[in-house]
Amino acid sequence: MDLTFSEREAAFRDELRAWFADNDPGPEPSHGRDGAEADDAHFGWRRDFQRRLHAGGWAAPHWPREYGGRGATLTESAIFFEELGRARAPLPANVLGLLLGGPTLMAWGTDAQKDRFLGPILSAEEIWCQGFSEPEAGSDLAALKTRAVREEDGWVVTGQKVWTSGAQHAKWCMLVARTDADAPRHRGLTYFLMDMEQPEIQVRPLRQITGESEFNELFIEGARIPDEHVVGGVGNGWKVALTTLMNERAGLAFFLQVRMRRLLDDLIGEAAARGVLDDDVAAERLGALHVKTEILRLTAYRGLTAIEKYGQPGPEGSLTKWMWSEANQELAELAVDLLGPDALVAGSPWGYEVLRSRGNSIEGGTTEILKNIVAERVLGLPRVRG
Ligand SMILES: Cc1cc2nc3c(=O)[nH]c(=O)nc-3n(C[C@H](O)[C@H](O)[C@H](O)COP(=O)(O)OP(=O)(O)OC[C@H]3O[C@@H](n4cnc5c(N)ncnc54)[C@H](O)[C@@H]3O)c2cc1C
């Protein structure tokens, strides 16, 4: 793919840069070690920023115009994420709705669903969460046990989900549940949009090593979902869920590699200020990470070509996610080696990165699973059995 920006792309970037210059998100509020109120304030900061993006028409440039986006090309979407990172702006509060839920509805939803749900995703009026993982079904998602039983006026759901990011703020949950216990396990699943505001759903926050509670356990005891909130048809949940997962890996890739570039530049700046760059070993390790960051950026661009060809993100997104998680963990470890105990202070920006990066190789698909996907579906190697 040609990486030189066309006139139109350069104009898009300049307009966006000017918008960010007028709309500084302000300093990131502290969170993590400061308790639930600080976490809520941090989320509020991200929500406010999404509202400003929305008012400026920038909440989801990659969405088609008919759904409230800008109909941005893939290269323009990449420019959007690069500029978002450059402006040190946060990921929008409704990132799961914007990157996962919206595109899934555009691919599988009915017209009525698109009319009802897409607008409030953009404006951050309704936050979305992803109810896939269960205590005994993470990597092996098709093993999930949460049941949805058909009754006269819709579906009744019972079960437990875990690691549900943002559920404490969410109005809608992308829920995958078993609707046919007798069907082969991938065929017995259905994808629903579940209203989180019902007493039959208990949301219990889980505290992470960073101190914050990004994710939660969900206990669901007879929650109700009307028929019109089934997405993609009864029994078709596996295919719909794959659309969500592929959008997760491909959609976040751009933001993540840009954020990593920014962290690496910060580390180089701090290392230079302390005279650490004169150390050959330190300089070499920083140089190696610089090369990895560039490879990541170019691979993320290459992923765009796959979307251009097939209309949907392909399994190549798994490669970027895997490479990013390894490189980001390496970066946090290097910060500790170069900056010493200063990078380990609880509540400090580097202290946060060191702890938070541990989850990178688990969230959105573990590295082992991503390697299997790359081996089987990108390289065409024989399937793993057992
Ligand atoms: C920060 C964070 C946020 C998250 N947010 C969400 C969310 O919003 N919604 C949601 O639904 N989930 C979320 N998750 C859950 C995440 O998707 C799961 O943790 C992940 O899929 C792994 O599942 P598991 O934890 O059950 O581990 P398991 O699947 O039990 O895996 C345990 C270990 O076994 C390995 N393993 C398993 N199967 C294989 C295999 N076939 N081959 C080789 N190795 C294998 C895994 O790689 C791992 O190392 C989040 C996780 C994190 C860390």
Side-chain angles (χ1 to χ4, degrees), residues 222-277:
R224 299 201 159 255
I225 304 181
D227 278 327
E228 60 266 28
H229 292 176
V230 169
V231 181
V234 174
N236 200 28
W238 183 252
K239 282 194 186 152
V240 185
L242 282 187
T243 303
T244 303
L245 290 174
M246 287 204 275
N247 275 289
E248 178 171 19
R249 284 161 203 161
L252 280 174
F254 258 95
F255 181 79
L256 296 176
Q257 58 90 10
V258 171
R259 186 174 181 279
M260 199 184 133
R261 174 78 255 169
R262 202 182 81 202
L263 282 174
L264 180 60
D265 288 343
D266 287 351
L267 181 59
I268 293 172
E270 285 187 49
R274 294 171 184 228
V276 179
L277 287 189

Side-chain angles (χ1 to χ4, degrees), residues 96 129-141 161-167 174 208 214-215 245 248-249 356 358-370 372 384 386:
L96 298 183
C129 67
Q130 181 186 11
F132 284 22
S133 305
E134 297 186 1
E136 287 173 53
S139 303
D140 188 12
L141 184 62
K161 295 285 171 181
V162 72
W163 320 125
T164 322
S165 302
M174 298 169 253
Q208 292 156 243
E214 265 175 289
F215 48 43
L245 290 174
E248 178 171 19
R249 284 161 203 161
R356 182 61 185 81
R358 300 319 306 161
N360 293 163
S361 42
I362 304 173
E363 60 197 311
T366 68
T367 297
E368 292 75 18
I369 295 299
L370 300 179
N372 284 347
V384 177

Side-chain angles (χ1 to χ4, degrees), residues 46-47 49-50 53 59 80-81 84 90-96 98:
R46 290 176 54 203
R47 194 170 196 159
F49 196 70
Q50 185 178 334
L53 282 170
F80 172 76
F81 282 113
L84 192 77
L91 259 190
N94 208 7
V95 59
L96 298 183
L98 291 168

